[in-house]
Amino acid sequence: MLTLTDNAVQVIRDLTAQSSGSQDTGIRIASQADQAGSLVLSISEGPANQDQVIEVEGARVFLDPVAADALETKSLDADVDAQGSPSFRLAEQG
């Protein structure tokens, strides 16, 4: 299952708090049907029906089935640059 670094947890909590304040809000990682192997990350008000939900210390991540499969052995990390823009990275776990 996808794991989250401490930095990713903090960035996700900050992003979702700014966007709506709803406790169901999280980030969603989904496959793009027209581009095999591509994933898109967005802020979502809640998971879709088939989404896997990962929750760590209040940070919620929703993964569509294809993304959940592709990210099974990955870890999500995040940073915020000097202008306040977040960036996310995937790496192998461990």
Side-chain angles (χ1 to χ4, degrees), residues 64-87:
D64 81 1
V66 173
D69 219 27
L71 302 178
E72 181 71 25
T73 62
K74 305 291 186 198
S75 179
L76 183 66
D77 193 15
D79 282 317
V80 178
D81 66 20
Q83 289 77 33
S85 298
S87 63

Side-chain angles (χ1 to χ4, degrees), residues 29-92:
I29 303 174
S31 58
Q32 290 186 302
D34 60 337
Q35 295 180 340
S38 289
L39 300 173
V40 63
L41 186 145
S42 60
I43 295 176
S44 177
E45 292 296 319
N49 284 341
Q50 300 294 319
D51 284 357
Q52 179 182 85
V53 178
I54 299 169
E55 187 164 357
V56 178
E57 298 175 18
R60 296 181 55 151
V61 178
F62 315 126
L63 302 172
D64 81 1
V66 173
D69 219 27
L71 302 178
E72 181 71 25
T73 62
K74 305 291 186 198
S75 179
L76 183 66
D77 193 15
D79 282 317
V80 178
D81 66 20
Q83 289 77 33
S85 298
S87 63
F88 292 90
R89 290 178 302 288
L90 290 167
E92 289 296 325

Side-chain angles (χ1 to χ4, degrees), residues 13-28:
R13 284 194 314 223
D14 291 348
L15 280 173
T16 56
Q18 293 170 13
S19 70
S20 92
S22 167
Q23 297 224 356
D24 293 332
T25 302
I27 63 166
R28 185 165 193 265

